[in-house]
Amino acid sequence: MSTPTYSEALEFAIDRSYDINIDMLRSRNLHLDTFNDYLVGTYPPLKAMGEINPDILLDRIAPSIDLYFHIPFCHQNCTFCHFGKEINPPPRRVERYLAALDKEMSWSDAALAGSAIETAFIGGGTPSFLTNNQLKALFGMIGKRFDLSNSEVSFELHPSLAKQADAADRISTLLKGGVNRFVLGVQTLDRDILRILNRGHGVDEVMQTVKLLKGMGVENLSLDLMYGLPQQTLRSWYGSLIGLLDMEVEKFNIFPLMFKSTDPIARHLARGRYQFAGAKERVMMHFMAEHMLTSLGYRHGPIFYWTKMSQPHSFQQARKYDSWNDNNLVPFGVSGFGFMSECQFYNEVDLDRYLSRVEAGEKPVWKGVVLSQDDLMRRTLMFALRSSGVLLSRFEREFGVSLEVYFAREIRALKEAGLICISKDGVLSLTDAGTINSGAVSLLFFSNNVLEQVAYNDGRIADKRTDLIEKHDYSPAARYGSSVQMKEVFQ
């Protein structure tokens, strides 16, 4: 199989883009403007959560669980990132945080005993910010509580790791600690765009890090890549794809830039500082990537995740989207969110509050909500549509109702708009148009009660550029209104 040329990829993308009637979808409220579009990270979202008793999270632990560890430290502030982080903290601050992580883990020791750890994910922030000794300490405290010998263990890397003299030692420590999947945040291979994003690395560091990992026997490596970035053109997007394909990487996470008012890049958009791709161009970038990757034997699933290997892109993603509420995601660290005992919740998102609460012996849970049967059905549907789809017969067995009857209005609207389809085997899934508009599809399944809670809490936010709830709400609900309203908020 040969790699499509730029002209071939562009021609394919142009042809496919005609299949996406943005004006029609917008008229039916099934297309979100770029600054309003967002993927559902939790359901119900943060803006629909309130106070919750942390003890109920341990009531009904699933027999198999997933772990998440948040490392909130970075060398620089990337303009698009809204995840919890501190920039270049002193070593004592990092040591204090690691000690708090250790103490927080003790809270759930008894409840989690005997549960199989299916996956563990160390994310951030920038986990590779940690020194070699700090990494050893982290995996030492994890290893004394959890058996990861049969787990998929993922670790996020920043390409600037290549600048460190002990980069190989750190990778060795991670491998010894049980890491068997690495995620490398690249975003683009356009040097000018990297500078605009304040990424803190160049193209050379990406190549050096990939070479180092492969040289140390790492086979399970996924690269993150974004489209819709400032000053990004169709040509430069093609160039980034080609550059990474030339590195013979077999897994990608390719996703669109999403805006939040708390990020510097939102102000860049509002003030017209840089050129950003419009809706049609973003659609074309999506299809360019699809054509190039499928031509080379890659397959996707969940949406935006691509792999050339026979196994899933990652078990962590498959568990998140296809487990149908029968798994528990247990978060450790500041701003981690989880799903336990049919409760969606967040840890404290302010680092000082997180540290003080843990050090005082408190459980650092910030907000949460107990899901009703209706919530569980909606959550299942939204997540499964992002992956392998919803088997209608399974849905009826799980919940005792027909999906097509319970959600008849939503299903009809999405079918008429060409965003979903039902296969002969009875699997409800997104079409290509539905994949591109998945945020709007998910939003259609939000309950009225959740939307009312979101609207109420959103209305109480005084300044969306600084508010912590706004920053950490991963949802397309109650965002930024019209273009004029967006500019007022973002600026």
Side-chain angles (χ1 to χ4, degrees):
M1 294 178 286
S2 60
T3 305
T5 64
Y6 172 69
S7 296
E8 291 169 340
L10 181 61
E11 182 179 2
F12 177 89
I14 291 172
D15 287 344
R16 294 303 308 277
S17 70
Y18 288 130
D19 297 334
I20 313 297
N21 189 335
I22 294 175
D23 290 336
M24 177 273 290
L25 295 172
R26 187 179 285 120
S27 71
R28 301 184 185 191
N29 294 320
L30 292 174
H31 172 81
L32 299 173
D33 291 322
T34 298
F35 51 84
N36 281 323
D37 200 8
Y38 207 92
L39 299 177
V40 173
T42 70
Y43 187 82
L46 178 57
K47 289 180 183 176
M49 296 182 191
E51 300 300 319
I52 190 170
N53 178 0
D55 293 331
I56 68 173
L57 303 177
L58 304 179
D59 283 350
R60 301 187 307 279
I61 299 297
S64 62
I65 61 177
D66 304 291
L67 306 176
Y68 175 76
F69 301 90
H70 191 74
I71 307 300
F73 307 120
C74 294
H75 290 291
Q76 72 291 315
N77 188 14
C78 299
T79 60
F80 61 85
C81 179
H82 42 261
F83 297 113
K85 58 189 175 295
E86 281 193 0
I87 307 302
N88 293 317
R92 63 182 178 277
R93 178 81 160 173
V94 179
E95 304 296 340
R96 183 184 174 194
Y97 181 75
L98 292 177
L101 263 184
D102 193 24
K103 191 170 184 179
E104 184 194 354
M105 283 187 239
S106 66
W107 164 49
S108 51
D109 272 354
L112 299 183
S115 295
I117 311 299
E118 297 293 333
T119 71
F121 194 100
I122 298 92
T126 305
S128 55
F129 175 93
L130 299 180
T131 66
N132 196 29
N133 285 337
Q134 290 165 348
L135 289 171
K136 290 178 180 178
L138 173 64
F139 280 92
M141 65 179 68
I142 294 173
K144 72 183 180 184
R145 287 193 166 89
F146 303 111
D147 179 8
L148 303 182
S149 58
N150 295 312
S151 311
E152 177 189 80
V153 183
S154 304
F155 192 94
E156 288 186 339
L157 294 173
H158 190 277
S160 62
L161 177 65
K163 300 177 184 178
Q164 304 300 323
D166 66 344
D169 292 335
R170 296 194 206 188
I171 298 299
S172 179
T173 294
L174 296 174
L175 293 171
K176 291 176 182 176
V179 175
N180 48 35
R181 174 174 174 257
F182 289 87
V183 180
L184 182 63
V186 176
Q187 317 317 345
T188 179
L189 291 184
D190 185 301
R191 290 174 171 83
D192 292 334
I193 299 176
L194 286 172
R195 285 192 289 271
I196 294 171
L197 299 179
N198 195 37
R199 281 293 293 161
H201 72 82
V203 175
D204 290 344
E205 285 85 358
V206 174
M207 299 174 65
Q208 291 166 15
T209 304
V210 170
K211 182 178 179 180
L212 173 63
L213 291 167
K214 288 187 173 184
M216 297 185 70
V218 172
E219 296 181 351
N220 196 350
L221 169 63
S222 176
L223 269 55
D224 289 348
L225 196 60
M226 297 174 69
Y227 61 86
L229 295 172
Q231 301 298 104
Q232 190 176 53
T233 64
L234 295 169
R235 171 68 76 174
S236 67
W237 172 237
Y238 177 84
S240 289
L241 288 165
I242 286 294
L244 294 179
L245 288 169
D246 285 346
M247 296 181 200
E248 299 182 340
V249 175
E250 298 196 328
K251 292 185 178 182
F252 292 103
N253 177 14
I254 297 177
F255 55 100
L257 171 65
M258 292 174 280
F259 291 93
K260 273 190 173 292
S261 57
T262 52
D263 304 336
I265 207 165
R267 293 186 286 280
H268 295 166
L269 174 69
R271 296 169 183 173
R273 183 175 179 183
Y274 301 108
Q275 184 69 38
F276 287 85
K280 200 70 172 180
E281 286 179 292
R282 285 164 66 104
V283 169
M284 291 172 64
M285 289 177 179
H286 169 88
F287 281 126
M288 285 180 73
E290 178 183 288
H291 181 57
M292 294 170 69
L293 291 169
T294 53
S295 296
L296 295 173
Y298 292 80
R299 56 188 176 81
H300 74 83
I303 63 172
F304 305 127
Y305 293 84
W306 293 86
T307 180
K308 210 173 186 179
M309 298 181 174
S310 57
Q311 67 265 39
H313 179 281
S314 72
F315 292 104
Q316 179 247 346
Q317 292 297 325
R319 295 266 300 168
K320 178 176 181 178
Y321 295 117
D322 291 324
S323 290
W324 289 53
N325 306 311
D326 55 359
N327 70 315
N328 283 171
L329 173 60
V330 186
F332 296 106
V334 64
S335 74
F337 61 81
F339 181 79
M340 299 171 66
S341 301
E342 298 184 352
C343 300
Q344 189 83 65
F345 69 99
Y346 273 77
N347 274 355
E348 290 283 358
V349 297
D350 179 84
L351 184 51
D352 287 319
R353 280 184 55 82
Y354 169 83
L355 291 171
S356 62
R357 289 192 64 184
V358 173
E359 290 167 351
E362 298 179 27
K363 306 171 183 66
V365 175
W366 181 38
K367 295 183 181 295
V369 61
V370 180
L371 276 69
S372 66
Q373 179 80 346
D374 178 73
D375 291 328
L376 290 170
M377 287 192 288
R378 293 173 187 276
R379 181 181 187 272
T380 294
L381 181 53
M382 289 178 209
F383 281 13
L385 276 175
R386 294 253 296 277
S387 186
S388 57
V390 185
L391 182 62
L392 300 180
S393 59
R394 180 183 175 188
F395 189 94
E396 188 163 359
R397 287 196 306 272
E398 293 275 341
F399 298 108
V401 297
S402 164
L403 184 152
E404 292 178 280
V405 172
Y406 195 86
F407 294 110
R409 177 184 62 84
E410 295 88 346
I411 296 299
R412 182 171 58 254
L414 293 171
K415 273 187 174 180
E416 290 175 354
L419 299 183
I420 59 170
C421 60
I422 298 177
S423 70
K424 294 179 180 179
D425 298 327
V427 176
L428 175 69
S429 58
L430 296 174
T431 62
D432 285 341
T435 295
I436 291 170
N437 292 281
S438 57
V441 172
S442 295
L443 188 56
L444 191 65
F445 289 105
F446 276 46
S447 73
N448 289 333
N449 179 60
V450 165
L451 289 174
E452 288 170 4
Q453 288 293 317
V454 168
Y456 173 75
N457 286 316
D458 183 73
R460 300 176 68 190
I461 296 175
D463 186 351
K464 286 198 171 189
R465 294 168 297 182
T466 60
D467 187 80
L468 289 177
I469 291 178
E470 179 67 27
K471 182 181 182 69
H472 293 275
D473 184 86
Y474 308 125
S475 153
R479 286 174 65 76
Y480 308 117
S482 67
S483 178
V484 172
Q485 291 169 319
M486 173 275 291
K487 289 181 179 180
E488 291 177 352
V489 172
F490 283 10
Q491 290 182 351

